[in-house]
Amino acid sequence: MNNKKKNGYVPPQEKAGFGQYILTFFLFLYTLFCALPIALVFISAFTDEKAIAANGFSYFPAKWSTAGMNTVLRYGKQLAVSYGVTIFVTVGGTFLGLLVMSMFAYSISRKGFRLRKFLSVYMLIPMLFNGGQLSCYVIYTSYYHMKDSIWLLIFPLCVTTMNVIILRTYVANSVPEELMDAAKIDGAGEYRTFFQITLPLMKPSLAAVGFMMATGYWNDWQNALLYITSDSKKPLQLLLVNIQKSIEVLLNSRNIPAVALAAIGGTVPQYSATMATVIVVIGPIMIIYPFFQKYFVKGLTVGSVKG
């Protein structure tokens, strides 16, 4: 090896070493720039409101305070209920959506399935044409009579065309056709082939699609605003919107009762409370994301190379 280096030969891995250091350095800078706004959110949530009003948002605040976080945590019981609703909707909706879409993707990926072309076109219609929010509201409330039902937080986001395409492409490109044919020869039916052979091999794509679905369910508040009226079914996002509206009402009111003003510490922590609500929202997602990152990247890469 030393003789080869003396003759001018350098292994490929050594040639790429310097370039990898440069790439790592720029990726580190990019990651740092992406992390700085998140750090500012956490710092601002525990910054005194008067310090923000005087100096603006800063990484080194003049005074610390927990007034903003306390404003959010005062809704303790309702906050716990809303967290439970959001977790149920996120887990239940993601599980149901993955089950339905994976079965649908498996069906249209089978070349011998007669309704394959018809269902593929049928799947694309909602992607091109949409009846609108008003028609959905009328159907769900007047015809299905599902007003104030927690299922309306699950069904509208359960199945999407793009996710079905990702799963179908993954099955077509990454699950060997010979494996399914061998199972059929051994006497396995379609259900057994799907649940015991195809579904376990779809874990990377299921993790990627599941993470996107879970994020969509977690951040959804519009459906709750339209359909949910009971506090016991109010998700986290809608509760935080109501908290922000309550703060705006206090700020815009000229005659704030002394009792209400004393309960919030003498001032209305508008900016710090806003940042505290952001922490409440993104905290669980930031904790869960690292565990799904490798499946997320692999599933999207494999499921989007070919159509």
Side-chain angles (χ1 to χ4, degrees):
M1 191 63 166
N2 294 331
N3 294 331
K4 292 182 178 180
K5 288 186 178 181
K6 291 179 180 179
N7 295 331
Y9 174 80
V10 179
Q13 58 270 23
E14 294 187 14
K15 289 183 178 179
F18 182 73
Q20 290 178 352
Y21 290 137
I22 297 296
L23 180 61
T24 302
F25 175 73
F26 281 107
L27 289 178
F28 173 76
L29 289 180
Y30 179 76
T31 304
L32 182 63
F33 289 144
C34 293
L36 286 177
I38 300 177
L40 184 61
V41 169
F42 278 85
I43 293 174
S44 301
F46 296 97
T47 302
D48 185 71
E49 188 69 19
K50 294 181 180 179
I52 296 178
N55 305 320
F57 295 102
S58 174
Y59 290 99
F60 306 98
K63 184 178 180 182
W64 298 91
S65 175
T66 59
M69 186 62 69
N70 291 337
T71 301
V72 178
L73 296 180
R74 282 194 182 94
Y75 295 81
K77 183 178 180 181
Q78 183 60 46
L79 188 63
V81 172
S82 298
Y83 251 115
V85 172
T86 301
I87 292 174
F88 172 78
V89 170
T90 301
V91 175
T94 302
F95 177 80
L96 180 62
L98 289 178
L99 178 62
V100 173
M101 289 190 296
S102 60
M103 295 176 68
F104 190 42
Y106 171 78
S107 300
I108 62 178
S109 67
R110 302 289 286 168
K111 296 180 180 179
F113 184 47
R114 295 181 179 179
L115 298 178
R116 177 188 178 189
K117 293 184 178 179
F118 170 76
L119 291 178
S120 298
V121 175
Y122 180 78
M123 174 187 67
L124 293 174
I125 292 177
M127 191 175 183
L128 303 175
F129 305 98
N130 194 335
Q133 191 69 59
L134 179 60
S135 60
C136 292
Y137 182 84
V138 172
I139 291 175
Y140 285 137
T141 57
S142 300
Y143 292 92
Y144 294 162
H145 303 288
M146 297 178 65
K147 181 72 174 180
D148 197 30
S149 174
I150 198 172
W151 294 108
L152 283 179
L153 302 178
I154 296 178
F155 290 152
L157 302 178
C158 189
V159 177
T160 59
T161 302
M162 185 56 64
N163 290 338
V164 175
I165 292 175
I166 294 175
L167 295 175
R168 180 200 65 83
T169 306
Y170 187 89
V171 174
N173 295 337
S174 302
V175 180
E177 187 73 22
E178 295 79 5
L179 189 61
M180 291 184 282
D181 292 338
K184 187 176 181 180
I185 293 174
D186 291 339
E190 294 294 342
Y191 286 100
R192 186 174 182 181
T193 302
F194 171 73
F195 284 106
Q196 293 188 0
I197 297 178
T198 305
L199 193 62
L201 296 176
M202 294 176 61
K203 287 182 179 179
S205 61
L206 291 175
V209 173
F211 180 79
M212 292 187 293
M213 290 185 63
T215 303
Y217 276 117
W218 188 272
N219 293 328
D220 179 52
W221 62 272
Q222 188 174 6
N223 288 325
L225 181 64
L226 291 174
Y227 303 115
I228 301 302
T229 57
S230 302
D231 291 338
S232 60
K233 301 176 183 178
K234 186 180 297 183
L236 179 65
Q237 298 291 342
L238 183 58
L239 174 63
L240 298 180
V241 170
N242 292 339
I243 293 175
Q244 291 298 315
K245 289 183 177 179
S246 300
I247 294 175
E248 292 177 2
V249 170
L250 290 175
L251 291 173
N252 296 328
S253 178
R254 296 182 178 179
N255 298 318
I256 302 178
V259 177
L261 193 60
I264 57 179
T267 58
V268 181
Q270 179 186 10
Y271 301 110
S272 59
T274 301
M275 297 303 178
T277 58
V278 174
I279 293 177
V280 172
V281 172
I282 68 175
I285 299 296
M286 292 180 63
I287 296 174
I288 294 174
Y289 178 76
F291 299 98
F292 287 87
Q293 182 181 9
K294 60 179 181 179
Y295 296 108
F296 180 73
V297 176
K298 183 178 179 181
L300 284 183
T301 303
V302 177
S304 60
V305 173
K306 297 180 182 179

